[in-house]
Amino acid sequence: MSNPLDGRPTGNFPAKEMLLESKARLSATEEEIAGTLNHLQRLENRRRDILVDINALESPILDLPAEIVCEIFLRCLLHPHVVPRAHDAPILLTHVCRRWREIALSFPGLWTSISVSAVLTHIGPQSEGLLNMLEAWLIRSASNLLSVSVLPALSVYLRGRSPFYMTIRDTAYRWCELEIIRPLEDYPILLRKDDLWDLPQLKKLTLLLPTNTRPRSLQPDALSILTNAPVLCDVRLMGFSPTNLLLPWSQLTTLRADNLFPIECLQSLVASPNLVSATFSFWKEENFFYLPSTAPIARLPHLQSLSLFAADDEDHYTPLFDYFDLPALQSLHLDLPPPPTADAYAPLTALLSRSAILTTLSLDFRGFLPHSALTTLLQSITQAQIHTLSLGMHAGITNGPLTAALRGNADLLPHLMSLTLRERIDRYNEPLFVEGEVVDMLRARWENGKGTLKKFCLVTTQALPRAPNELHPGWSSLAREGMDIEVKSHGAGPFLVVYFNSRAIVNASKGKSTLKPKQE
């Protein structure tokens, strides 16, 4: 009997070898697929880059000359002094496209203004990166002059000079403008008294405090000596004066100093004989006004513009005017408290009477001013060549004798070309102004276009008609003849509304606009 298993294959079947071979072929195929996918991805990336280039090349902005692009870049800066940040201009501009990056990096003027406020007190793992960014910024500015600002950084007081400050400090020979707005406690650190400063290019200096205050008992040797600045001419200060800050005062041409006592104002003027423009605001404190018996005279032969702002409604600085010799004065702006006595403004009257070439006068009186005192002041400037006069009072001006005086007295301010009146009428104790009287005054000064007065502005609290055609017809008549007139009123609300504008009248007559009160 035969065996049923006879004839079966004999020997070992190579299943394992075939499995290994299949896996190897699968692995090779997957690698080939991966390589193909990678190649496809590279092609996709290349295609995307080509499309980006095509879109960029089709953009009209690329047709602009590099000079125009540079001007656009300058207007992208958020602040006059720029904090180095990757997500702000100008660094952000270098990440847009290749051409913009080339233009930005080759334009040193884009990197000449810098604020180190955000990095003065920075401590952390990013310090090295921030320092590298600052160093790159300075390198990109090439050899151009720098405008540097040191501002408050989260109100954190400085414990010492950081590497960031020292890096920017080493470029002081290139500074054309320096602005420091820091707490007073930081000034001895930033302007250390034993630090020698060489500022050959510095033209503008600003030293302010972040709050409205002033230094107390600060000696002049507490800070650096900043006299080695041969071209410094423009200075703004808060609470600093020649008594506590060593500057080349004699060469200054523009000075603004806030929160001073009157004696410090006088000392600043005496120390700065070459000033052309000066602005001072005063600080309120006991013994506000003090002058020694031998106070010097401030002789400023070149001073053309002077502005003084009172501390409050009680402290008077007008006695200072007895110590002013200002033969070149052309513009005077005074913020004055009400006079405590009848002769309180006598020094001002004397100053005005000897200011023969004064052309612009602005007087803002706080509180009530007797019309007789105002008339005396105006009569004192009859000899002056006043072209522009601005008067502000916490009382009515148009309802007093001024309107009649200007209408009937041709010798009063005979050269007046522009008149601005800002008044706050007490509607409970004062009569409202009569529009016809003001219009008559303007017509007398206008003289059918032959007179000197060409421009008039009235800002009042008197409620006016909402419709311009309800106002006195004389306003429109003068406007059509060519006089520049604007009437504004707060009325009973907080917002200033333009009720009459001569330019709107003229445009309306030409069919260009409609007449509607405009809220400012």
Side-chain angles (χ1 to χ4, degrees):
M1 185 175 182
S2 62
N3 189 348
L5 296 179
D6 291 342
R8 64 182 177 181
T10 58
N12 296 328
F13 190 79
K16 292 185 178 180
E17 289 78 359
M18 294 177 65
L19 178 62
L20 293 176
E21 180 183 352
S22 297
K23 289 183 176 181
R25 286 188 289 109
L26 176 62
S27 178
T29 302
E30 289 179 345
E31 290 180 1
E32 185 176 355
I33 292 174
T36 302
L37 292 176
N38 290 335
H39 181 62
L40 179 61
Q41 185 62 47
R42 289 195 296 271
L43 292 177
E44 289 287 347
N45 293 339
R46 186 189 305 173
R47 177 177 177 273
R48 182 193 59 197
D49 294 340
I50 294 173
L51 289 175
V52 169
D53 290 341
I54 291 175
N55 291 334
L57 292 172
E58 291 178 344
S59 175
I61 197 172
L62 292 182
D63 295 331
L64 294 176
E67 294 81 0
I68 302 298
V69 178
C70 290
E71 290 297 324
I72 295 174
F73 284 177
L74 288 176
R75 283 159 177 77
C76 291
L77 303 180
L78 299 178
H79 304 285
H81 298 95
V82 186
V83 178
R85 293 193 183 101
H87 56 274
D88 289 335
I91 296 177
L92 181 62
L93 299 174
T94 65
H95 300 162
V96 175
C97 67
R98 185 184 304 110
R99 182 168 185 263
W100 278 25
R101 179 174 179 82
E102 292 173 353
I103 293 176
L105 296 182
S106 62
F107 180 34
L110 196 61
W111 311 90
T112 56
S113 179
I114 184 170
S115 172
V116 294
S117 58
V119 296
L120 275 177
T121 58
H122 188 88
I123 299 175
Q126 296 181 340
S127 297
E128 184 177 352
L130 289 173
L131 185 58
N132 293 336
M133 184 185 301
L134 177 60
E135 292 173 344
W137 188 292
L138 296 175
I139 292 174
R140 292 170 183 174
S141 67
S143 59
N144 286 28
L145 299 181
L146 296 174
S147 179
V148 178
S149 177
V150 183
L151 300 175
L154 303 177
S155 300
V156 177
Y157 292 110
L158 300 182
R159 294 186 295 272
R161 292 184 166 190
S162 69
F164 306 99
Y165 178 75
M166 294 309 298
T167 298
I168 196 71
R169 164 70 177 85
D170 292 339
T171 64
Y173 66 94
R174 293 168 50 197
W175 295 357
C176 65
E177 180 179 350
L178 172 61
E179 177 187 49
I180 299 179
I181 306 178
R182 295 289 302 178
L184 181 62
E185 292 80 359
D186 291 349
Y187 273 86
I189 298 175
L190 299 173
L191 301 177
R192 200 165 56 195
K193 63 180 181 179
D194 60 347
D195 198 0
L196 299 179
W197 288 81
D198 185 17
L199 305 166
Q201 306 292 339
L202 188 66
K203 293 184 178 180
K204 185 175 182 180
L205 175 65
T206 300
L207 302 179
L208 303 178
L209 305 176
T211 57
N212 188 28
T213 183
R214 58 169 281 126
R216 292 181 178 274
S217 303
L218 183 65
Q219 299 300 320
D221 60 352
L223 302 178
S224 303
I225 299 176
L226 302 177
T227 55
N228 193 16
V231 297
L232 181 63
C233 59
D234 188 346
V235 172
R236 182 179 179 185
L237 307 171
M238 180 178 287
F240 294 102
S241 68
T243 61
N244 55 23
L245 185 63
L246 297 177
L247 293 176
W249 292 91
S250 62
Q251 69 189 40
L252 302 184
T253 58
T254 301
L255 173 62
R256 173 166 181 172
D258 297 320
N259 298 352
L260 295 186
F261 296 128
I263 181 60
E264 294 172 326
C265 169
L266 182 60
Q267 291 168 339
S268 299
L269 290 174
V270 170
S272 311
N274 289 306
L275 284 177
V276 176
S277 175
T279 300
F280 296 93
S281 69
F282 296 102
W283 179 255
K284 168 64 177 174
E285 197 167 283
E286 281 189 59
N287 301 320
F288 167 77
F289 195 92
Y290 164 76
L291 288 179
S293 57
T294 58
I297 301 296
R299 305 184 190 278
L300 293 98
H302 311 292
L303 188 67
Q304 300 178 12
S305 176
L306 176 64
S307 300
L308 301 175
F309 296 89
D312 60 14
D313 293 346
E314 297 180 0
D315 291 328
H316 282 265
Y317 56 81
T318 50
L320 276 177
F321 299 138
D322 288 333
Y323 300 89
F324 288 177
D325 182 8
L326 313 174
L329 189 63
Q330 299 179 23
S331 176
L332 180 63
H333 182 180
L334 302 178
D335 173 47
L336 294 161
T341 60
D343 61 346
Y345 288 152
L348 173 58
T349 302
L351 174 65
L352 295 176
S353 63
R354 62 178 184 266
S355 300
I357 64 172
L358 188 66
T359 59
T360 301
L361 177 62
S362 177
L363 302 175
D364 287 317
F365 300 98
R366 300 187 180 189
F368 177 76
L369 177 69
H371 290 291
S372 58
L374 177 59
T375 302
T376 302
L377 281 175
L378 296 181
Q379 290 175 344
S380 69
I381 57 176
T382 301
Q383 302 302 321
Q385 306 291 318
I386 297 294
H387 295 165
T388 302
L389 175 63
S390 176
L391 297 175
M393 292 176 59
H394 287 196
I397 304 177
T398 51
N399 58 18
L402 175 63
T403 303
L406 289 174
R407 181 181 66 244
N409 185 359
D411 294 330
L412 183 63
L413 303 172
H415 308 284
L416 188 63
M417 300 175 62
S418 176
L419 175 62
T420 299
L421 302 178
R422 297 183 303 278
E423 62 179 9
R424 182 172 296 278
I425 292 180
D426 184 347
R427 59 176 56 91
Y428 299 104
N429 300 311
E430 289 186 74
L432 301 180
F433 79 86
V434 180
E435 290 183 76
E437 294 183 0
V438 179
V439 170
D440 290 343
M441 179 271 291
L442 295 179
R443 187 163 292 283
R445 289 280 173 159
W446 173 247
E447 295 181 0
N448 296 321
K450 299 178 181 179
T452 59
L453 188 61
K454 307 297 182 183
K455 184 176 182 179
F456 175 73
C457 179
L458 172 62
V459 181
T460 181
T461 56
Q462 177 171 328
L464 297 175
R466 296 296 299 179
N469 56 11
E470 297 179 10
L471 294 170
H472 192 283
W475 300 113
S476 299
S477 177
L478 286 169
R480 292 189 179 94
E481 294 178 20
M483 193 174 193
D484 189 349
I485 302 175
E486 191 171 45
V487 179
K488 307 176 183 180
S489 174
H490 288 282
F495 301 108
L496 189 63
V497 177
V498 179
Y499 282 86
F500 184 87
N501 187 296
S502 58
R503 290 180 292 277
I505 290 287
V506 174
N507 290 336
S509 65
K510 297 178 180 179
K512 295 182 178 180
S513 67
T514 58
L515 298 178
K516 294 182 180 179
K518 178 183 177 182
Q519 180 175 302
E520 290 189 346

